[in-house]
Each structure stands twice: as C-alpha cells, then as structure tokens.
Amino acid sequence: MKKQSFYLYALTLFMTASFGMLQAQENVTTEFGIKGGLNMSNLYTDDADDENVLFGFNAGVYATLPVSDFVAIQPELLFTTRGSKLEYNNALIEGNAKFKLNYIEVPLLVRVNLTKNFNIHAGGYASYLVSSKVTGEGSFNFEEEFDTDNFNKFDAGIAAGVGLDFNPISIGVRYNYGLTTIVKDGDDSSDLKNSNLSLYLSYKLN
C-alpha cells in the first residue's frame, strides 16, 4: 500500500505541476480526440517474464495541451485490457486459458514533437480494476468471473512511446511497465505486475 500511495502522490504532483505550466502560457490551443488500438499484454515478476502474450484492446479519449511549440502535456482516459495467456498441450488435454483484467486507465504523458510528424512521449499512468475473469478453450471450455476484491484495484506504472502524426489521424506504439503488484499481499503470486505493448490509432476532433 505504501508503494501505491507513493505512485499516486507522484502522479498527482506531476499533473498539478503540468497544469501550472499551462496556465503560464498564452495562446494555448488544446487538441481533443478519440483513440483506440491493440494491446499485447502479459504478466511479469521480479525474476522472470511471462512470455504468453494476451491480445486485447484499448479505447478512449485524449487531450493535447501545448506548453510550447514542441512540448505538450497529454492526459488520456482509456478502457484497457491486461492479463496473460497460458497454453497447454499434453497426452490428455490441450487448449489455452486466458486471464483477463479490465481497467479504467489515466495516462499522463509529456509529448515532445521532434518534427512536424514525429513525436516521442513518456510519463506515467494510474488505473483502476473494474472486472477480471478467466476463460478456457480447447479440451475444456469454461468462463469464470473473479471477485476484484482478491486483487489490488489500483495499478500504476511508467509509459513511453512514439507516434506519427498525419493530421487529423495519428498512429503510434507505446509500452506500459507496471510498478505495482496485481494480487494482494499474502498470495503466492503477489509479485505479479502488468506489462503491455499497445498499437494505437487516434483521430483529432477539433
């Protein structure tokens, strides 16, 4: 809980400082838009990565708040999926099991426009777990909802990516690295954290 409180405090402080910088600027033109894309997520521990990628999606809205001609603050509000996929194949059974976590996520990024059409962005994210379940396909088909109280509902981490802008459409890739555990302390898997690579397409509305 102390780590989660620290990450939340740091993200809040970053957001407050960012908007303070914006208030000092004149002739700021804010951009609003919608975005969505493909997620490739898995889980990792301090000792190893889970190589079983789970495909999912992200969708939501964003705003770009210029600080200068080259730098902007970009907050977003997304629905995004996380989790991992386990494949099994032996003499008796074969198939896969998908562990799915669904979050409402708020990334807050510093965006730097290196050229007119190319940007890099980095910052942090905070997310809240809204649902979780496991599904299976193969020799046995099943679906079971999990009680979210068994997990840490708050997740936070760092994010970085690159984007290509073709007004009003942009495309990009971003990696999210979770810093908080997804399972409550005391569980055998309590050190599991989220990891996600996303491909996105965004559309400017103004």
Side-chain angles (χ1 to χ4, degrees), residues 12-194:
T12 303
L13 183 64
F14 176 53
M15 183 178 294
T16 302
S18 299
F19 279 98
M21 293 172 61
L22 288 172
Q23 291 178 352
Q25 302 296 318
E26 296 182 355
N27 301 320
V28 170
T29 301
T30 301
E31 175 184 316
F32 296 99
I34 56 176
K35 63 178 303 185
L38 173 70
N39 283 351
M40 291 167 281
S41 61
N42 58 21
L43 303 174
Y44 77 95
T45 70
D46 294 334
D47 299 322
D49 290 335
D50 180 351
E51 298 180 353
N52 297 304
V53 172
L54 177 68
F55 289 93
F57 70 95
N58 62 87
V61 296
Y62 74 93
T64 302
L65 315 173
V67 175
S68 69
D69 290 339
F70 305 102
V71 180
I73 304 300
Q74 183 165 306
E76 300 175 0
L77 179 62
L78 307 172
F79 178 86
T80 185
T81 63
R82 298 284 189 269
S84 183
K85 179 180 178 181
L86 172 64
E87 295 186 351
Y88 50 89
N89 186 1
N90 55 50
L92 298 177
I93 57 174
E94 63 177 324
N96 66 73
K98 299 177 181 178
F99 175 53
K100 301 178 180 180
L101 300 166
N102 298 322
Y103 290 92
I104 298 297
E105 183 173 287
V106 182
L108 183 61
L109 309 163
V110 175
R111 170 173 162 162
V112 180
N113 298 314
L114 299 181
T115 70
K116 180 180 179 181
N117 301 105
F118 180 72
N119 72 78
I120 60 174
H121 49 270
Y125 74 87
S127 57
Y128 185 81
L129 180 66
V130 293
S131 66
S132 60
K133 67 179 179 180
V134 61
T135 62
E137 298 177 348
S139 300
F140 298 98
N141 296 325
F142 59 89
E143 180 172 333
E144 181 180 355
E145 297 283 342
F146 284 141
D147 187 346
T148 55
D149 289 337
N150 295 326
F151 302 93
N152 288 320
K153 293 185 178 180
F154 175 78
D155 182 36
I158 55 178
V162 297
L164 292 173
D165 303 316
F166 306 100
N167 192 24
I169 294 174
S170 297
I171 59 175
V173 59
R174 181 183 303 166
Y175 179 66
N176 284 17
Y177 186 80
L179 297 176
T180 59
T181 58
I182 66 169
V183 182
K184 289 184 176 179
D185 293 340
D187 189 277
D188 292 338
S189 302
S190 59
D191 59 346
L192 287 173
K193 303 179 181 71
N194 282 308

